[in-house]
Amino acid sequence: MDYLQILERIHKAILPYSKEGKQADYIPELANVNPDQFGMCIHTLSGETAAIESADTRFSIQSISKVFALAMCHSIKGDALWKRVGKEPSGTAFNSLVQLEMEKGLPRNPFINAGAIVMADILLSHLSNPEEDFLRFVRAVANNNTIEYNHSVALSERSTGYLNAAIANLLKYHGTIENDIEEVLHFYFLMCSIEMSCRELAVAFAAFANHNRPFDYAGITLTTSQVKRINAIMQTCGFYDEAGEFAYLVGLPGKSGVGGGIVAIYPLRYSVAVWSPRLNSKGNSVMGIKALELLTTETAESIF
Ligand code: GLN
């Protein structure tokens, strides 16, 4: 399969959508990103890599970081993690409060904000240096020691993060988080602020695609079965209230972020990352979803 040619063809085909959607501006720093950018990189487990356009430009990975947080929490807590957070799709927006109130502070899954805030709390309780340890783990999975947090993005999100603060308060009220709310939110926003390129994300997610290989990065270990289960949660919960549509159009487990990035994996075959800042109303990249839909359609390579 000539992936480079396929990616180039896909890019041409989705150009008509390049002005559709709007970049996230509820995080002031993200409003400053040029929305007219696009990058894509596919990395096969047999060692081929194809990358096009701005595949080497770093962007704010935002909620894609929740997969890394889940890997760490699952490694640390094993199945006891599921006492703190559920694993059912929510069918609601990533930042919704409604379900959390009805379900008495137990987040539906680790990928909605409430679930990720609980994971931030777990990591704060269990790691000796949470900020360093999280970054060290992400760098190890991506095999790249230059990956960094963007502190201005994290601070910028804190300055307007009223909804996430409301979620954290509701969690604290129900006793679902142990640490100080300010500390938990600070760490949650910091994890979201990590910057990576499509190429770096594709390499990092090969660790999830290749569930037969031992998962062991910076002291974080997962069994084959635990990696497969993380992939299952990406499939059912990775796109919030658009998870069904993503499964229908693309047919791969994946995770999106409001920075406009999407990663997806075809277990035992490849990992792919795509980035374009303009988002649809569900907070997922318009061109990103289109590109992945075309990729799995053209190659007939999806899990279904
Ligand atoms: N930091 C963002 C938030 O909490 C992450 C959301 C996302 O990427 N979907 O709102």
Side-chain angles (χ1 to χ4, degrees):
M1 193 100 57
D2 187 342
Y3 283 111
L4 187 59
Q5 228 179 54
I6 294 171
L7 296 196
E8 275 163 358
R9 235 183 0 253
I10 288 172
H11 180 232
K12 253 196 213 107
I14 62 174
L15 281 177
Y17 301 95
S18 61
K19 295 287 175 192
E20 228 173 75
K22 202 170 155 289
Q23 84 222 70
D25 56 5
Y26 73 96
I27 301 172
E29 280 279 317
L30 292 189
N32 298 330
V33 174
N34 169 10
D36 298 319
Q37 300 186 80
F38 176 86
M40 189 167 187
C41 178
I42 186 165
H43 181 77
T44 70
L45 299 194
S46 53
E48 260 178 275
T49 302
I52 59 161
E53 299 292 312
S54 304
D56 290 303
T57 304
R58 283 186 174 163
F59 57 89
S60 198
I61 69 168
Q62 292 297 320
S63 287
I64 296 173
S65 65
K66 293 170 181 170
V67 183
F68 299 130
L70 175 57
M72 281 189 106
C73 287
H74 205 14
S75 166
I76 291 167
K77 290 201 74 86
D79 280 343
L81 173 63
W82 309 120
K83 293 201 180 83
R84 303 281 305 272
V85 59
K87 46 179 142 54
E88 291 296 336
S90 66
T92 57
F94 61 88
N95 52 10
S96 173
L97 271 169
V98 178
Q99 204 167 51
L100 190 62
E101 183 178 19
M102 291 199 315
E103 297 179 358
K104 306 214 168 358
L106 186 74
R108 267 290 172 100
N109 67 62
F111 292 160
I112 52 171
N113 288 8
I117 291 170
V118 167
M119 291 197 296
D121 181 61
I122 291 172
L123 294 177
L124 282 180
S125 296
H126 284 84
L127 299 173
S128 31
N129 298 299
E131 294 183 18
E132 282 168 39
D133 297 346
F134 184 73
L135 190 59
R136 186 169 339 109
F137 169 62
V138 175
R139 286 175 167 183
V141 187
N143 191 24
N144 184 322
N145 277 330
T146 68
I147 292 167
E148 286 289 354
Y149 296 117
N150 182 327
H151 291 272
S152 349
V153 170
L155 283 175
S156 159
E157 180 162 16
R158 183 63 194 105
S159 72
T160 55
Y162 306 113
L163 201 45
N164 284 317
I167 291 172
N169 276 279
L170 195 54
L171 290 167
K172 189 76 179 173
Y173 170 80
H174 284 288
T176 330
I177 55 179
E178 295 168 347
N179 295 283
D180 173 69
I181 291 174
E182 280 306 315
E183 278 175 46
V184 175
L185 283 173
H186 170 79
F187 184 47
Y188 166 72
F189 293 136
L190 204 56
M191 290 194 286
C192 288
S193 80
I194 281 192
E195 294 186 331
M196 291 170 76
S197 68
C198 288
R199 193 188 298 271
E200 289 160 355
L201 281 168
V203 170
F205 275 77
F208 295 91
N210 201 355
H211 55 72
N212 281 347
R213 193 176 57 187
F215 190 107
D216 186 352
Y217 300 93
I220 297 300
T221 59
L222 294 170
T223 64
T224 293
S225 151
Q226 284 175 320
V227 175
K228 285 208 265 187
R229 286 173 173 174
I230 289 174
N231 297 346
I233 297 171
M234 280 199 256
Q235 179 72 44
T236 52
C237 311
F239 299 83
Y240 323 111
D241 44 345
E242 206 176 19
E245 184 74 2
F246 190 82
Y248 178 85
L249 293 173
V250 178
L252 297 175
K255 185 74 206 80
S256 61
V258 291
I262 300 181
V263 288
I265 57 167
Y266 184 0
L268 304 181
R269 298 285 277 277
Y270 64 70
S271 50
V272 58
V274 58
W275 167 60
S276 185
R278 290 182 193 269
L279 309 177
N280 63 19
S281 61
K282 313 278 188 185
N284 299 320
S285 170
V286 173
M287 283 179 97
I289 291 182
K290 282 272 169 226
L292 292 172
E293 178 190 354
L294 289 184
L295 176 70
T296 54
T297 308
E298 274 219 18
T299 58
E301 284 189 329
S302 82
I303 65 168
F304 298 107

